[in-house]
Amino acid sequence: MLFHVRMDVRLPHDLDPDAKAEIIAREKAYAQELQRSGKWPQIWRIVGEYANISIFDVESNDELHTLLSGLPLFQYMDIEVTPLAKHPSDIKD
Amino acid sequence: MLFHVRMDVRLPHDLDPDAKAEIIAREKAYAQELQRSGKWPQIWRIVGEYANISIFDVESNDELHTLLSGLPLFQYMDIEVTPLAKHPSDIKD
Amino acid sequence: MLFHVRMDVRLPHDLDPDAKAEIIAREKAYAQELQRSGKWPQIWRIVGEYANISIFDVESNDELHTLLSGLPLFQYMDIEVTPLAKHPSDIKD
Amino acid sequence: MLFHVRMDVRLPHDLDPDAKAEIIAREKAYAQELQRSGKWPQIWRIVGEYANISIFDVESNDELHTLLSGLPLFQYMDIEVTPLAKHPSDIKD
Amino acid sequence: MLFHVRMDVRLPHDLDPDAKAEIIAREKAYAQELQRSGKWPQIWRIVGEYANISIFDVESNDELHTLLSGLPLFQYMDIEVTPLAKHPSDIKD
Amino acid sequence: MLFHVRMDVRLPHDLDPDAKAEIIAREKAYAQELQRSGKWPQIWRIVGEYANISIFDVESNDELHTLLSGLPLFQYMDIEVTPLAKHPSDIKD
Amino acid sequence: MLFHVRMDVRLPHDLDPDAKAEIIAREKAYAQELQRSGKWPQIWRIVGEYANISIFDVESNDELHTLLSGLPLFQYMDIEVTPLAKHPSDIKD
Amino acid sequence: MLFHVRMDVRLPHDLDPDAKAEIIAREKAYAQELQRSGKWPQIWRIVGEYANISIFDVESNDELHTLLSGLPLFQYMDIEVTPLAKHPSDIKD
Amino acid sequence: MLFHVRMDVRLPHDLDPDAKAEIIAREKAYAQELQRSGKWPQIWRIVGEYANISIFDVESNDELHTLLSGLPLFQYMDIEVTPLAKHPSDIKD
Amino acid sequence: MLFHVRMDVRLPHDLDPDAKAEIIAREKAYAQELQRSGKWPQIWRIVGEYANISIFDVESNDELHTLLSGLPLFQYMDIEVTPLAKHPSDIKD
């Protein structure tokens, strides 16, 4: 079941540089692990913004919230979730 | 080069039913032809809305505008285009 | 799997009164059938508005879109879907 | 008398971790006590957000404000209240 | 129990003048009857707009929706309801 | 001459508790003095928000600004003023 | 007593050309009469828009609403009124 | 003196096709004449929208309004004007 | 050439009181000097807000930006500029 | 390939003055280098705002994001990118 997710990162300006580097590294590892598992099949950078648009493929709303709230940057992000359905013009099975 | 495109369809309520059926059929054929060509690799329905979220893969801004303005429903749609870049956490090459 | 759905009805002012009565009757029958099936467990009127807030309980995003796009008033409504998850403070199992 | 309430939590980034843990624990206890009393019959997490959608069942506007302004997190939340009425298509008595 | 209600009237430009005069007369009679009953204690015109701000005093959300949806102009209005509570600085009993 | 005023209080999270208590006490005294003078005939709490809706009765725009800018919490509030006129359906003289 | 007023004109596209010319002529005569009376001391066109920004000088809110609702184009305009007060840095008496 | 102008075209759906073709041809001729005169040095299509972003180079606000309100499509467009100044980092003289 | 300018002041809550008094005094002197020069012919306080609406009379966009960016409070203000043209109903020469 | 870019600078009020001067100098050097390279052919100041409107001329979305995210002020800016296409009325080749 697919969901469209937009994440906007708002890091506080006074975040300690080491803490910032560490949390960003953890975020990247977490995102790549979910990509490898197939749960997070797509991620794109929005040009000019510290933001991404992603597609998640999960079993349920609860699973999606668990994945998103586990993001190391979760407390610093605005996240907007849009549920997706198959489009009648889609040629993929 | 990838672009995120959201299309919201606003058909006038007094559109002739035959004209409506005909234009929707042409829209579907057009969308499927572009999918087969690889220019429109993804299309999803937004749950509960007469709208889609799509990914386009084109050579240039001009090509994208040509494709979108050629949509049979173009005059009845609000379209919002967001340019995408590779995300540093993306594991795909 | 629960979804929060807000529906705002925008009937055209020049809709034929008989057609209007007929479509509203079909909408009511459709809504009550889905309530009886357990798919649409809650529906409330928003005070002062021709709008409702509802809870749907479905198996998937696709099922939800099928149910919503089948509403007789679908073409006259603005619908906004919000996926829900279990709240950690919820005392129900 | 039912009210739809949406609460968005905005904790300051520099809140002391112990103070944060303590206030969240008090919030949970408070929410569960109101659920047990029947005043707060429904609470759901909005997927991807530090926010909830709830249904309150109270005797009056004053009672609802007393309950909401007593939330331990009240000063850190944006709260939006929508009064609900019985929907004419509702099949429950 | 008090509610703050804002009503914005949007009459279609092509409404028949007699039908318009008749519905406005019925609206006025309805509004004055509710004022005399004590249910609609305050009504003010917003300067420069075809809109009013009103205070309603009712027993319940359901009663308020019944009163508002019975307005002859209901189908031509955008209505926004805000529940009110006693303010701690209010000097009236 | 009547004005509708909405005030939203935004206290900084790091305000000293004693300073906060003192300024809130001064705000209350100021509001009650203006109510007794007849300049501020109505004040209501918006349910679920640290905000009020008020009616002011003043001689001029300048007098209203003097009263509002003298509020002890003025620097911490967003204030929105709407001028009111007599409504043609109002039954009061 | 001064008020800032912004008026945006939204003429229906299907308005009869003669009726349109006649109402615009009446609007102009009305606006010029109020300017001569001193009630409407300033009127400017917003560049690129069918809109104006004006200053009104009236005795009361009721007088302002009477003047604005008497505009021949009133039913075709969105009007926004902002009350003005003397600025402490203003060097005029 | 430079101005940034965004124009969004909103043609009524029921515009007569011949009238539509004629007005669009006049719009194009008008735009090209102003480009040749140097008053309208830049015009770009916004990808996916029936809209343009333009730069105008005029002597005064009045001249700009005269040019814009003379557009054949003026009554069918939303226009937003932003005055531009020289940027301190601009390397052009 | 006239411009409509709205300025909203957002002073940080933790600004040093002496620095605050000093910058406000400089702002007032600057505003009065520009009024005396004829560049800033009108300034009004918006009732209930720490904001003003002003009219500037300048030779060019560049001059206006120079004047506005020279405001002592510039870094603490949101400024919105609207270019004005002569209105066809204006009776002044 | 052209893109319209709007950048709004939001410097924290408590930024160290030396750090501020240094970062602004680096921003200027970076912007001028990109102008000389032909990648950033246009930059204008928005009158009254700490913001610019720019045109970028790049090979791809990825190149644009690399250039924008390399701006020394990137973390302090809100950036909005709009892809541009050739306008059919444009007289330039």
Side-chain angles (χ1 to χ4, degrees):
Chain A
M1 206 167 56
L2 301 180
F3 290 85
H4 179 276
V5 180
R6 178 181 170 136
M7 308 181 198
D8 287 84
V9 186
R10 325 263 188 218
L11 289 179
H13 293 313
D14 54 359
L15 197 64
D16 171 72
D18 288 346
K20 183 176 165 179
E22 187 267 347
I23 200 172
I24 290 176
R26 280 198 291 129
E27 179 80 9
K28 185 171 187 171
Y30 184 92
Q32 295 191 329
E33 179 188 320
L34 287 183
Q35 288 175 72
R36 278 186 293 265
S37 77
K39 295 294 181 186
W40 190 343
Q42 302 282 357
I43 179 170
W44 300 284
R45 174 65 80 211
I46 298 177
V47 173
E49 304 188 33
Y50 192 1
N52 72 70
I53 288 177
S54 291
I55 304 295
F56 278 77
D57 186 354
V58 294
E59 296 301 308
S60 68
N61 291 348
D62 283 308
E63 183 187 10
L64 180 57
H65 186 69
T66 301
L67 296 181
L68 293 175
S69 60
L71 286 161
L73 287 173
F74 180 69
Q75 69 169 304
Y76 300 124
M77 295 199 296
D78 289 335
I79 294 182
E80 185 192 14
V81 173
T82 307
L84 301 175
K86 184 170 174 57
H87 193 282
S89 299
D90 190 352
I91 61 172
K92 293 192 292 293
D93 317 295
Chain B
M1 205 166 60
L2 301 180
F3 290 86
H4 178 276
V5 181
R6 178 181 170 136
M7 308 180 200
D8 286 84
V9 187
R10 323 265 189 217
L11 289 179
H13 292 314
D14 54 1
L15 198 61
D16 171 72
D18 287 347
K20 183 175 164 179
E22 188 267 347
I23 201 172
I24 290 177
R26 280 198 290 129
E27 179 81 9
K28 185 171 187 172
Y30 184 92
Q32 294 190 332
E33 179 188 319
L34 288 183
Q35 287 175 71
R36 279 187 291 265
S37 76
K39 296 292 181 188
W40 191 342
Q42 301 283 358
I43 179 170
W44 300 283
R45 175 65 80 214
I46 298 176
V47 173
E49 304 189 33
Y50 192 2
N52 72 70
I53 288 176
S54 291
I55 304 294
F56 278 76
D57 186 353
V58 295
E59 296 300 308
S60 68
N61 289 348
D62 283 307
E63 183 186 12
L64 180 57
H65 186 69
T66 301
L67 296 181
L68 293 175
S69 60
L71 286 162
L73 287 173
F74 181 69
Q75 68 170 305
Y76 301 125
M77 294 198 297
D78 290 334
I79 295 182
E80 185 191 14
V81 173
T82 307
L84 300 176
K86 185 170 171 57
H87 193 283
S89 298
D90 190 352
I91 60 172
K92 294 190 291 292
D93 320 295
Chain C
M1 205 167 58
L2 300 181
F3 290 86
H4 178 277
V5 181
R6 177 181 170 136
M7 307 180 200
D8 286 83
V9 186
R10 324 266 189 218
L11 289 180
H13 292 314
D14 54 0
L15 198 62
D16 172 73
D18 287 346
K20 182 174 164 179
E22 187 267 348
I23 200 172
I24 289 177
R26 279 197 293 128
E27 178 82 9
K28 186 171 186 170
Y30 184 92
Q32 294 190 331
E33 179 188 320
L34 288 184
Q35 287 175 70
R36 278 187 292 264
S37 76
K39 296 292 182 187
W40 191 340
Q42 301 283 358
I43 180 169
W44 300 283
R45 175 65 81 213
I46 299 176
V47 173
E49 304 188 33
Y50 192 2
N52 72 70
I53 288 176
S54 291
I55 304 295
F56 279 76
D57 186 353
V58 294
E59 296 301 309
S60 69
N61 289 348
D62 283 307
E63 183 186 12
L64 180 57
H65 186 68
T66 301
L67 296 180
L68 293 175
S69 60
L71 286 161
L73 287 174
F74 180 70
Q75 69 170 303
Y76 301 125
M77 294 199 297
D78 289 334
I79 295 182
E80 186 191 14
V81 173
T82 306
L84 300 176
K86 184 170 172 59
H87 193 283
S89 298
D90 189 352
I91 60 171
K92 293 191 293 292
D93 319 294
Chain D
M1 206 168 55
L2 300 180
F3 290 86
H4 178 276
V5 180
R6 179 183 168 134
M7 308 180 200
D8 286 84
V9 186
R10 324 264 189 219
L11 289 180
H13 292 314
D14 54 359
L15 198 63
D16 171 73
D18 288 346
K20 182 175 166 181
E22 187 268 347
I23 199 172
I24 290 177
R26 280 198 290 128
E27 179 82 8
K28 186 171 188 171
Y30 184 91
Q32 294 190 330
E33 178 187 321
L34 287 183
Q35 288 175 72
R36 278 186 293 266
S37 76
K39 295 294 182 187
W40 191 342
Q42 301 283 357
I43 180 170
W44 301 284
R45 174 65 81 212
I46 298 176
V47 173
E49 304 188 33
Y50 192 1
N52 72 70
I53 288 177
S54 291
I55 304 294
F56 278 77
D57 186 353
V58 294
E59 296 301 308
S60 69
N61 291 348
D62 283 307
E63 183 186 10
L64 180 57
H65 186 69
T66 300
L67 296 181
L68 293 175
S69 59
L71 286 161
L73 286 173
F74 180 69
Q75 70 169 305
Y76 300 124
M77 295 199 296
D78 290 334
I79 295 181
E80 186 191 13
V81 173
T82 306
L84 300 175
K86 184 170 172 58
H87 193 282
S89 299
D90 189 352
I91 59 173
K92 293 191 293 293
D93 319 294
Chain E
M1 204 168 57
L2 301 180
F3 290 85
H4 178 277
V5 181
R6 178 182 170 136
M7 307 181 200
D8 287 83
V9 186
R10 324 264 189 217
L11 290 179
H13 292 314
D14 54 359
L15 198 62
D16 171 73
D18 287 347
K20 183 175 164 179
E22 187 266 347
I23 200 172
I24 290 176
R26 280 198 291 129
E27 178 82 8
K28 186 171 185 171
Y30 184 92
Q32 294 190 331
E33 179 187 320
L34 287 183
Q35 287 175 70
R36 277 186 293 265
S37 76
K39 296 292 183 188
W40 192 340
Q42 301 283 357
I43 179 170
W44 301 284
R45 175 65 81 213
I46 298 176
V47 173
E49 304 188 33
Y50 193 1
N52 73 69
I53 288 176
S54 292
I55 303 295
F56 278 76
D57 186 354
V58 294
E59 296 301 308
S60 69
N61 290 348
D62 282 307
E63 183 186 12
L64 180 58
H65 186 69
T66 301
L67 296 180
L68 293 175
S69 60
L71 287 162
L73 287 173
F74 180 69
Q75 69 170 304
Y76 300 125
M77 294 199 297
D78 289 334
I79 295 181
E80 186 191 14
V81 173
T82 307
L84 300 176
K86 184 170 173 55
H87 193 283
S89 299
D90 190 352
I91 59 171
K92 293 191 292 293
D93 318 294
Chain F
M1 207 168 55
L2 301 180
F3 290 85
H4 178 277
V5 181
R6 177 180 170 135
M7 308 180 199
D8 287 83
V9 186
R10 323 267 189 217
L11 289 180
H13 292 313
D14 54 359
L15 198 63
D16 171 74
D18 287 347
K20 182 175 165 179
E22 187 269 347
I23 200 172
I24 290 176
R26 280 198 291 128
E27 179 81 8
K28 186 172 187 172
Y30 184 91
Q32 294 190 331
E33 178 188 319
L34 287 183
Q35 287 176 72
R36 279 186 292 264
S37 76
K39 296 292 181 187
W40 191 342
Q42 301 282 357
I43 179 170
W44 300 284
R45 176 63 81 213
I46 299 176
V47 173
E49 304 188 32
Y50 192 2
N52 71 71
I53 288 177
S54 291
I55 304 295
F56 278 77
D57 186 353
V58 294
E59 296 301 309
S60 69
N61 290 348
D62 283 308
E63 182 185 11
L64 180 57
H65 187 68
T66 301
L67 296 181
L68 293 175
S69 60
L71 286 161
L73 286 174
F74 181 69
Q75 70 170 305
Y76 300 124
M77 294 200 296
D78 289 335
I79 294 181
E80 186 191 13
V81 173
T82 306
L84 300 176
K86 183 169 172 60
H87 193 282
S89 299
D90 190 352
I91 59 172
K92 292 192 293 293
D93 319 294
Chain G
M1 205 167 57
L2 301 180
F3 290 86
H4 179 276
V5 181
R6 179 183 169 133
M7 307 181 199
D8 287 84
V9 186
R10 324 264 189 218
L11 289 180
H13 292 314
D14 54 0
L15 198 62
D16 171 73
D18 288 346
K20 183 175 166 180
E22 189 265 347
I23 200 173
I24 290 176
R26 280 198 291 129
E27 178 82 8
K28 187 172 185 170
Y30 184 92
Q32 294 190 331
E33 180 187 320
L34 288 183
Q35 287 174 71
R36 279 187 292 266
S37 76
K39 295 293 183 188
W40 191 341
Q42 302 283 357
I43 179 170
W44 301 283
R45 175 64 81 213
I46 298 177
V47 173
E49 304 189 32
Y50 193 0
N52 73 70
I53 288 176
S54 292
I55 304 294
F56 278 77
D57 187 353
V58 294
E59 296 301 308
S60 68
N61 290 348
D62 283 307
E63 183 186 12
L64 181 58
H65 186 69
T66 301
L67 295 181
L68 293 174
S69 60
L71 286 162
L73 287 173
F74 180 69
Q75 69 170 304
Y76 301 125
M77 294 198 296
D78 289 335
I79 295 181
E80 186 191 13
V81 173
T82 307
L84 301 176
K86 184 170 171 57
H87 193 282
S89 299
D90 189 353
I91 60 172
K92 294 191 291 293
D93 317 296
Chain H
M1 205 167 60
L2 301 180
F3 290 86
H4 178 277
V5 181
R6 179 183 169 134
M7 307 180 200
D8 287 83
V9 186
R10 323 262 189 219
L11 289 180
H13 293 313
D14 54 1
L15 198 62
D16 171 72
D18 288 346
K20 182 175 165 181
E22 189 267 346
I23 200 172
I24 289 176
R26 280 199 290 129
E27 178 81 9
K28 185 171 187 172
Y30 183 92
Q32 294 190 332
E33 181 187 318
L34 287 183
Q35 287 175 71
R36 280 188 291 266
S37 75
K39 296 292 183 189
W40 191 341
Q42 301 283 358
I43 180 170
W44 300 283
R45 175 65 80 213
I46 299 177
V47 173
E49 304 189 32
Y50 193 0
N52 73 71
I53 287 176
S54 292
I55 304 294
F56 278 76
D57 186 353
V58 295
E59 296 301 307
S60 68
N61 290 348
D62 283 307
E63 183 186 11
L64 180 57
H65 186 68
T66 301
L67 296 180
L68 293 174
S69 60
L71 286 161
L73 287 173
F74 180 70
Q75 69 170 304
Y76 301 124
M77 293 199 297
D78 289 334
I79 295 182
E80 185 191 13
V81 173
T82 307
L84 301 176
K86 186 171 170 57
H87 193 282
S89 299
D90 190 352
I91 60 172
K92 294 191 291 292
D93 318 295
Chain I
M1 207 167 58
L2 301 182
F3 289 85
H4 178 277
V5 181
R6 178 182 169 134
M7 307 180 200
D8 287 84
V9 186
R10 323 264 188 220
L11 290 180
H13 293 313
D14 54 0
L15 199 63
D16 172 73
D18 287 346
K20 182 175 165 181
E22 188 268 346
I23 200 172
I24 290 176
R26 280 197 292 127
E27 178 81 8
K28 186 171 187 173
Y30 184 92
Q32 294 191 331
E33 179 188 320
L34 287 183
Q35 287 175 72
R36 279 187 292 265
S37 76
K39 295 293 180 187
W40 191 342
Q42 302 282 358
I43 181 171
W44 300 284
R45 175 64 80 213
I46 298 176
V47 173
E49 304 188 33
Y50 192 2
N52 72 70
I53 288 176
S54 291
I55 305 294
F56 278 77
D57 186 353
V58 294
E59 296 301 307
S60 69
N61 290 348
D62 283 307
E63 183 186 9
L64 180 57
H65 186 69
T66 301
L67 295 181
L68 293 175
S69 59
L71 287 161
L73 287 173
F74 181 70
Q75 69 169 305
Y76 300 125
M77 293 198 298
D78 289 334
I79 295 181
E80 186 191 14
V81 173
T82 307
L84 300 175
K86 184 169 172 59
H87 193 282
S89 300
D90 190 351
I91 60 173
K92 293 191 292 291
D93 319 294
Chain J
M1 207 168 56
L2 301 181
F3 290 85
H4 178 278
V5 181
R6 178 181 169 136
M7 307 180 200
D8 287 84
V9 186
R10 323 263 188 220
L11 290 180
H13 292 313
D14 54 359
L15 198 62
D16 171 72
D18 287 346
K20 183 176 165 179
E22 188 268 346
I23 200 172
I24 290 176
R26 280 197 292 127
E27 179 81 9
K28 187 172 187 171
Y30 184 92
Q32 295 191 329
E33 179 187 321
L34 287 183
Q35 288 175 70
R36 280 187 291 265
S37 76
K39 296 292 182 187
W40 190 342
Q42 302 282 359
I43 180 170
W44 301 283
R45 174 65 78 212
I46 299 176
V47 174
E49 304 188 33
Y50 192 1
N52 72 71
I53 288 177
S54 292
I55 303 295
F56 278 76
D57 186 354
V58 294
E59 296 301 307
S60 68
N61 290 348
D62 283 307
E63 183 186 10
L64 181 56
H65 186 69
T66 301
L67 296 181
L68 293 175
S69 61
L71 286 162
L73 287 173
F74 180 70
Q75 69 170 304
Y76 300 125
M77 294 200 296
D78 288 335
I79 295 182
E80 186 192 13
V81 173
T82 307
L84 300 175
K86 185 170 172 58
H87 194 282
S89 299
D90 190 352
I91 60 173
K92 294 191 291 293
D93 318 294

